[in-house]
Amino acid sequence: MILAIANRDGCDTAERLSRIVLFDGSAGHGAPDRLSRGDALLRDVADALHQLCSLHGRHPGVVDHAARANLHPSAAAWLEQAAAAFADERAYLIGVSAAVGPPPGTPGQAAAEAALAAQRHAIDLLARSVRPGCALGAAIAVTLDWPVIRRPLDAAAIRLGLDTVPTALPSTAQTLRLIDTVAAEAPIERAMTFGLQQMLAQHRGLWDLLDARAGSRG
């Protein structure tokens, strides 16, 4: 629906995709802000960070796969910067997750693990896609959505007395310029949009799962 509205408005590819991230990404979900509050239960925060690790604490990650595929020469510099920055983000995520303690025992753990395994599989398929534009769209989605995903991470670090780590990810402006540059060079807009939307769906699925798990713990 958002895609259709954006097309009617006549906005360029970068603006259209940024609107999709805004409305369909983590910013449209209540969980990141809830988990960032000072009164958030540490067990819920620990669960969130450990499940985030299961999706984005792995190497190679989404951006790494997109960079290695080398399907978009004009995106090489952006991908190199993003991949290097995500190495730092992974280390930060893993470090804070270890400091906050193990994830809590939760009813329905087997079902949750199955859901997370399905998400990891879906993310891997997107990241390894050889369809021009798909993996890049997924990498762009992670990069644009990450500032919201990072909120609970930074909040947990502050609560635990740890140093927060400044991000070196490409800025939003850099990423939007990349989108329009790549889209102007090749007819990959549809595949890029698909990769981006599917990656955002995995993020929203994770927040939904975390909310359900918190509710089941009472």
Side-chain angles (χ1 to χ4, degrees):
M1 184 63 179
I2 294 170
L3 177 60
I5 292 172
N7 283 336
R8 284 199 302 269
D9 287 347
C11 55
D12 62 17
T13 302
E15 182 182 350
R16 184 172 61 78
L17 295 189
S18 68
R19 290 176 62 181
I20 293 174
V21 173
L22 177 64
F23 291 106
D24 288 358
S26 297
H29 202 288
D33 284 337
R34 176 178 62 80
L35 291 164
S36 302
R37 295 199 302 261
D39 60 353
L41 295 176
L42 274 179
R43 67 183 186 185
D44 292 345
V45 175
D47 195 30
L49 296 188
H50 281 280
Q51 307 318 326
L52 276 169
C53 272
S54 75
L55 297 189
H56 290 302
R58 301 175 296 152
H59 183 267
V62 175
V63 178
D64 302 299
H65 283 299
R68 292 176 181 181
N70 196 30
L71 296 176
H72 311 286
S74 61
W78 183 93
L79 285 166
E80 181 179 0
Q81 179 185 349
F86 266 112
D88 294 336
E89 296 295 327
R90 273 193 299 271
Y92 182 39
L93 174 59
I94 292 169
V96 179
S97 298
V100 79
T106 305
Q109 183 63 30
E113 289 178 355
L116 284 165
Q119 285 194 304
R120 288 193 296 270
H121 179 65
I123 288 172
D124 286 344
L125 287 177
L126 291 170
R128 296 172 185 269
S129 174
V130 296
R131 180 184 178 191
C134 184
L136 180 61
I140 288 168
V142 176
T143 304
L144 290 177
D145 210 31
W146 197 255
V148 178
I149 294 173
R150 211 182 198 264
R151 290 175 189 168
L153 178 58
D154 285 337
I158 292 169
R159 286 180 69 173
L160 296 168
L162 304 175
D163 291 333
T164 57
V165 176
T167 184
L169 287 171
S171 68
T172 298
Q174 286 176 298
T175 304
L176 297 184
R177 284 196 297 271
L178 166 77
I179 293 170
D180 277 337
T181 297
V182 174
E185 292 177 351
I188 63 168
E189 183 175 345
R190 186 181 297 274
M192 191 160 53
T193 300
F194 175 82
L196 178 136
Q197 289 178 315
Q198 292 302 307
M199 190 69 243
L200 296 177
Q202 301 310 315
H203 287 169
R204 290 186 65 89
L206 176 63
W207 298 123
D208 287 343
L209 176 64
L210 290 170
D211 275 351
R213 284 170 60 81
S216 70
R217 290 191 291 268

